[in-house]
Amino acid sequence: MAGSVFNQLQGILPFCRSILALFFRSLRTESRSLRMHLLWLMLMLVIYATLWFARKSTSMFGAPGLMFFRYVMYMNAAFITMLGVSFFSSAISEEKEEDTLGLMTMAGISPLGILFGKSTSRLFQVSLLLAIQYPFTLLAVTMGGLLPTQVFSAYVSLLAYTILLANVGLLCSVACRTTRNASGLTAFWLLGYLTGPAFAFGGYMYLTRERGWDHADFLQNLVLSVLDWLWRATVFVDLYSATETGHQFSWTPQIVGNSIGGLACFLLAWCLFGIVAKDPAPESSSRGTVAQKNHRYLYVFSAGRTWGDPLIWKDFFFTAGGTAGLMIRGLLYGGMYLLCIAANRPWNGAYDNIRWEDVTWGFQFFCIPLLAVDVGLCASRVFQEEIRGQTLSSLMMLPKSTMTIVYSKVSGCGLATLPGFAAIAISIMMPGGWRNAMDVIDQAAFWWFIMNLLLIVHLAALFSLYLRTGAFVLSLGLVIGSMIVSGIIMELWMSAWRRPFGSWNTPALAMCIFIGFICLACHLLTVLRMPQLAEK
């Protein structure tokens, strides 16, 4: 009996070794990469910064440990969400773009081994990022207002969300032929994941308060139970519940649903892998949302004739999405305004009771960061498309200066972001919009925030010349970390001069000048880096 078990183990071990070979190789490679060490350092700095802020605000708020832990958890959730758009969604699609997926299968690596090596290794690395935080966040227990079970419950919720997001990104990467399409599909799923629970909660409240539904009737109980499960199955709701006083760990719908959903996505990606691996490599330059010129009904979305400046024309249509991209962005801003109306609409359904000034304030509050994200994503792709298509050397041979080429490409992408600037201009003409603009435009802290958004764009463009993927996420993480550190520096500055908490005009102006010099340095480094890449 023992001999038969030993023989079975001898047959299983080589199989497991073949599956996990690429997994362990990816772990060794990532553990030596500078990117992962920078991410670890950034997250630790964020923890120390939030700890300082919680300690500083103890005189104004109670339970500093609970506040500190809540900040850290929400920052982790936002960080993991950003990783899902670029880091997780490029696991398989980057191999398709480099035409190496077929070579990996020819080398004898099984589909399961490829999925483990390319995707599960990234999930493991992000889980390590969360694991190294756990001992430090236990400091929140000693600060008061928090229990160890709440810390454990919040990290289990984050782990379940990471499992779901990593495998959704894997499924999108398997299904799509390019990293750009995979990132877009993952972002679209994230939009549904974050907004769907809000609609489910709204439907639940409407049915119970306006229609008088209860759990006594079987059909009504079924509908209400599904809606209640849906709005509780998001990580932000679960994190809020975990950071409430007296919370005890339980297997919530978010933990169970996200874990099962992640496993289902992994199995589906495994089933689809054999089909997509047989597809030929995609073209180096994708048309994206640009339709063919001879299409009968989609002619308006075609690129048409070349403009006077072909570089602006090319990047407007084939990098930023062209006319279809303009329409999608316009619909996105319009949908965000409708969400602001829905958030301020009373439960009795009377539109006369809506405070339109609050709607305008919410719309303006989200417009500027959304525009910065849009511009940053375009900036991270403007040079990456040339590098991936191996056309940068030909581009640099044009009888134009490097500066002219750079600004022509940036201008092409900038035209596609006009709906964001139009939305900000329209919001100023809405009820209360002009007053809101005048209240913040003379504040140095507002311009410090705007300069940090500009820094995200410049860093994303610069990092795209050094990194294959993750340029925007890395720039966003660095700027968020620098905003926390600079906020601490400004507060220390004001404390030294014995000014009240939040009086940041003088140090914020100094920070704006400093960030301006960093943006100028990014300009120079970008212009110097492009000829170096063209020579390779």
Side-chain angles (χ1 to χ4, degrees):
M1 182 68 180
S4 62
V5 173
F6 181 74
N7 292 332
Q8 292 178 359
L9 289 176
Q10 281 186 326
I12 293 175
L13 288 177
F15 175 74
C16 295
R17 192 180 298 113
S18 63
I19 291 178
L20 299 177
L22 186 59
F23 174 79
F24 289 120
R25 181 186 180 278
S26 299
L27 288 182
R28 287 193 296 267
T29 303
E30 291 290 341
S31 63
R32 300 189 186 102
S33 65
L34 180 62
R35 178 177 60 180
M36 295 305 299
H37 287 83
L38 288 176
L39 291 177
W40 291 342
L41 178 62
M42 183 185 66
L43 286 178
M44 297 308 299
L45 290 177
V46 167
I47 290 177
Y48 282 115
T50 51
L51 179 62
W52 178 89
F53 182 79
R55 182 67 182 86
K56 185 72 176 179
S57 58
T58 52
S59 59
M60 296 183 294
F61 305 100
L66 181 62
M67 180 182 297
F68 158 67
F69 184 70
R70 184 173 290 171
Y71 287 159
V72 172
M73 289 298 101
Y74 283 137
M75 286 183 181
N76 280 330
F79 175 76
I80 294 170
T81 302
M82 291 185 294
L83 284 181
V85 179
S86 60
F87 188 58
F88 292 135
S89 60
S90 62
I92 303 299
S93 57
E94 65 182 10
E95 301 295 337
K96 295 180 185 179
E97 291 177 339
E98 296 178 0
D99 203 13
T100 57
L101 191 59
L103 296 176
M104 296 173 69
T105 57
M106 291 174 59
I109 305 176
S110 64
L112 187 60
I114 295 176
L115 295 181
F116 267 109
K118 298 297 296 181
S119 175
T120 310
S121 61
R122 302 187 179 191
L123 172 61
F124 187 78
Q125 289 287 343
V126 176
S127 301
L128 286 180
L129 292 177
L130 297 177
I132 63 175
Q133 294 182 8
Y134 189 80
F136 296 94
T137 50
L138 288 176
L139 291 172
V141 179
T142 63
M143 297 172 64
L146 198 68
L147 297 175
T149 55
Q150 294 178 262
V151 178
F152 177 76
S153 178
Y155 271 102
V156 172
S157 299
L158 280 179
L159 180 60
Y161 176 59
T162 306
I163 292 173
L164 174 64
L165 189 55
N167 288 287
V168 167
L170 172 64
L171 179 60
C172 295
S173 183
V174 169
C176 299
R177 301 182 64 188
T178 62
T179 302
R180 178 180 176 180
N181 294 340
S183 300
L185 186 59
T186 306
F188 183 76
W189 176 87
L190 275 172
L191 181 63
Y193 178 84
L194 297 176
T195 58
F199 287 105
F201 178 74
Y204 182 87
M205 299 301 292
Y206 172 77
L207 292 176
T208 54
R209 294 190 177 186
E210 299 297 325
R211 295 298 181 182
W213 284 28
D214 53 27
H215 292 273
D217 184 76
F218 174 76
L219 182 60
Q220 294 180 5
N221 177 60
L222 179 62
V223 175
L224 292 177
S225 298
V226 171
L227 291 177
D228 181 69
W229 190 90
L230 286 176
W231 81 267
R232 294 179 184 275
T234 180
V235 65
F236 292 99
V237 173
D238 214 50
L239 288 179
Y240 180 80
S241 300
T243 52
E244 285 185 327
T245 304
H247 174 81
Q248 296 294 328
F249 173 75
S250 62
W251 295 101
T252 61
Q254 186 267 332
I255 296 175
V256 177
N258 287 188
S259 301
I260 295 177
L263 179 61
C265 290
F266 182 85
L267 295 177
L268 184 57
W270 187 15
C271 295
L272 293 177
F273 186 86
I275 301 175
V276 300
K278 299 177 182 179
D279 294 339
E283 297 179 359
S284 59
S285 181
S286 173
R287 297 186 66 90
T289 57
V290 181
Q292 296 288 342
K293 184 177 180 180
N294 56 359
H295 201 285
R296 182 177 179 181
Y297 300 104
L298 300 178
Y299 178 78
V300 67
F301 299 118
S302 64
R305 293 181 177 272
T306 308
W307 297 349
D309 192 325
L311 293 180
I312 298 178
W313 170 82
K314 185 254 184 187
D315 280 272
F316 172 73
F317 282 101
F318 298 101
T319 302
T323 308
L326 288 175
M327 183 175 296
I328 293 173
R329 290 177 174 89
L331 293 175
L332 181 61
Y333 286 103
M336 186 174 63
Y337 184 71
L338 294 178
L339 286 177
C340 293
I341 294 177
N344 288 273
R345 180 172 177 259
W347 289 110
N348 58 12
Y351 284 95
D352 296 337
N353 297 329
I354 295 179
R355 289 181 53 86
W356 293 102
E357 292 81 3
D358 295 340
V359 175
T360 302
W361 184 89
F363 185 62
Q364 291 177 328
F365 180 81
F366 288 105
C367 261
I368 296 178
L370 184 60
L371 175 62
V373 169
D374 185 20
V375 176
L377 288 173
C378 290
S380 64
R381 294 198 302 261
V382 65
F383 304 119
Q384 195 60 238
E385 295 292 331
E386 306 291 345
I387 297 173
R388 187 178 294 114
Q390 298 181 356
T391 57
L392 186 60
S393 57
S394 301
L395 185 66
M396 298 301 295
M397 293 175 63
L398 295 176
K400 294 183 178 182
S401 64
T402 304
M403 192 75 72
T404 303
I405 294 174
V406 169
Y407 284 114
S408 296
K409 293 178 67 62
V410 171
S411 300
C413 290
L415 287 176
T417 62
L418 287 179
F421 293 98
I424 295 174
I426 293 174
S427 69
I428 296 177
M429 296 182 289
M430 292 178 179
W434 179 259
R435 185 177 67 252
N436 295 336
M438 292 298 102
D439 289 341
V440 300
I441 200 170
D442 60 343
Q443 299 292 326
F446 170 75
W447 294 109
W448 167 73
F449 179 72
I450 296 298
M451 290 299 295
N452 278 283
L453 296 182
L454 291 176
L455 182 60
I456 293 175
V457 177
H458 288 83
L459 289 178
L462 178 62
F463 289 158
S464 66
L465 298 176
Y466 292 89
L467 303 174
R468 291 195 306 174
T469 59
F472 174 73
V473 174
L474 182 59
S475 62
L476 185 61
L478 288 176
V479 171
I480 290 176
S482 67
M483 287 178 68
I484 296 174
V485 174
S486 59
I488 295 175
I489 294 174
M490 288 189 293
E491 187 55 37
L492 291 175
W493 185 341
M494 300 312 297
S495 298
W497 290 94
R498 297 181 180 180
R499 296 292 181 86
F501 182 81
S503 302
W504 288 359
N505 284 341
T506 303
L509 182 61
M511 287 292 177
C512 289
I513 298 174
F514 178 70
I515 295 173
F517 281 111
I518 296 178
C519 293
L520 180 61
C522 291
H523 275 273
L524 297 177
L525 291 175
T526 301
V527 173
L528 295 175
R529 176 65 176 171
M530 288 189 64
Q532 296 177 0
L533 291 176
E535 294 175 357
K536 295 183 179 180

